[in-house]
Amino acid sequence: VAQLEALASGVIGVDEKEFGLYFGGNFLGGTQTLGAAGIVHKSTILLDLSMEVKVALPPSLQAAHGSVLTFDIKTDDTVEALKTKIAAVTGMAAAVQVLWFKGDALTITNRTLSDAGIADQDLLLLKDASSLPPSPPATESTVTINLPALLHATIGTSVTIPASATT
């Protein structure tokens, strides 16, 4: 299988780590032989572009599952599909999962992971929506500015202003 992966990689111009080979619905591992997988002359093997993403878990799940889980996913999997896989492993319902990537919550669950900019080996952060503080109403949005030490004695360590004043 390893030789077949290398050959396919050369033909399609994609690194071997970015695709998987499947036969009869089963993943073909690199040390497995074609014969052991049941592949014979004129068999058809599926090449599926895939990637591995890591999901950092919230403290409430770390005792049972460790701090990071790794998932093999397809490039066209959706955020919802990944949440379903996370739920299957952790027991945390997909509805209460909030996945974060590069500081942004992935709120559009039917969006593909590749469309969200997620690539092989990227790290996502999982949070439990029930443990997040409620968002303030839009009319009460504020921005806090931390001030330099020079101003601490006269103004304080920070000032909070309405977000509407910043536009």
Side-chain angles (χ1 to χ4, degrees):
V1 174
Q3 291 173 330
L4 183 59
E5 288 173 334
L7 179 63
S9 176
V11 170
I12 64 172
V14 175
D15 188 276
E16 296 167 39
K17 296 174 189 159
E18 296 180 28
F19 66 85
L21 297 176
Y22 296 84
F23 179 71
N26 297 312
F27 176 74
L28 301 175
T31 59
Q32 186 178 25
T33 66
L34 298 177
I39 298 169
V40 294
H41 181 65
K42 298 222 178 205
S43 291
T44 300
I45 299 170
L46 173 68
L47 183 143
D48 192 21
L49 293 176
S50 62
M51 58 184 169
E52 189 174 85
V53 295
K54 298 175 185 329
V55 177
L57 299 178
S60 61
L61 296 174
Q62 290 181 6
H65 304 287
S67 60
V68 176
L69 292 176
T70 302
F71 293 92
D72 288 321
I73 59 170
K74 297 176 184 173
T75 56
D76 62 350
D77 276 351
T78 62
V79 171
E80 187 63 31
L82 178 57
K83 285 182 164 189
T84 300
K85 289 180 181 190
I86 293 168
V89 173
T90 66
M92 177 189 277
V96 298
Q97 296 175 26
V98 180
L99 287 170
W100 292 78
F101 179 62
K102 294 186 177 179
D104 293 321
L106 302 176
T107 56
I108 304 171
T109 58
N110 64 347
R111 187 177 188 192
T112 67
L113 297 169
S114 59
D115 285 346
I118 298 166
D120 189 44
Q121 299 299 317
D122 277 341
L123 177 68
L124 286 73
L125 176 63
L126 173 65
K127 293 186 180 183
D128 183 338
S130 64
S131 68
L132 297 175
S135 299
T139 58
E140 297 179 22
S141 290
T142 60
V143 175
T144 300
I145 302 171
N146 293 323
L147 299 173
L150 172 69
L151 300 174
H152 288 184
T154 56
I155 299 175
T157 59
S158 64
V159 293
T160 301
I161 58 173
S164 60
T166 63
T167 56

